[in-house]
Amino acid sequence: FWTIFELTFSGCWPNYARRIIEDVSPLYSMFYFFYVYIVVFVATRIVAALFLKETLSQYAADAETMVKEHSKKTTWIKRALHDLFDEADSNKDGFLSTDELHAFLDHCKVQMWLKELGVDAS
């Protein structure tokens, strides 16, 4: 006779189920209905869970990479602005006068970098 393993993995379970339902008892139809429903549901949920797990792990890796890249970019911009501030300080006293600051903020590159850091320089 047929085992549950054959019923589950053969792909032609209706052939096995029909013979038992017709020859033994129609009440076995309830067993086959619930058995097939549960097996198909469980298999579908397992596959969906595996896809979801892989998707979430890829998303976490992408988010982490994005944060690292943004941090590197911000550090580079800060270093470049520090060098520009030092260059804009014409009298080398460590402070920018109003005239020095206005000349500094008129540079397009400085405005672009400050905008990248979230500072409105206009």
Side-chain angles (χ1 to χ4, degrees):
F1 290 148
W2 304 281
T3 64
I4 295 294
F5 179 80
E6 289 175 320
L7 176 72
T8 304
F9 296 109
S10 70
C12 55
W13 64 269
N15 296 336
Y16 304 136
R18 180 180 313 272
R19 185 166 174 209
I20 292 175
I21 291 169
E22 290 175 354
D23 293 345
V24 179
S25 173
L27 292 177
Y28 278 106
S29 62
M30 296 302 292
F31 165 77
Y32 283 112
F33 173 77
F34 287 114
Y35 177 76
V36 170
Y37 179 78
I38 289 170
V39 168
V40 169
F41 178 77
V42 168
T44 304
R45 299 307 300 164
I46 288 173
V47 170
L50 291 173
F51 279 122
L52 183 61
K53 179 183 174 194
E54 182 64 27
T55 302
L56 291 177
S57 68
Q58 289 297 323
Y59 173 76
D62 287 348
E64 185 176 320
T65 303
M66 186 176 65
V67 168
K68 286 180 183 178
E69 289 297 320
H70 188 269
S71 176
K72 284 181 189 178
K73 186 177 182 182
T74 301
T75 303
W76 181 82
I77 290 173
K78 285 180 182 177
R79 192 175 319 122
L81 281 174
H82 184 274
D83 293 343
L84 280 174
F85 270 104
D86 284 343
E87 192 176 313
D89 185 16
S90 58
N91 59 3
K92 305 296 182 203
D93 64 350
F95 297 99
L96 289 179
S97 67
T98 307
D99 294 333
E100 291 172 333
L101 181 63
H102 285 294
F104 177 69
L105 293 177
D106 285 340
H107 285 49
C108 293
K109 187 183 285 187
V110 172
Q111 289 180 2
M112 181 181 67
W113 284 348
L114 288 174
K115 186 176 183 180
E116 187 71 31
L117 291 174
V119 177
D120 184 17
S122 55

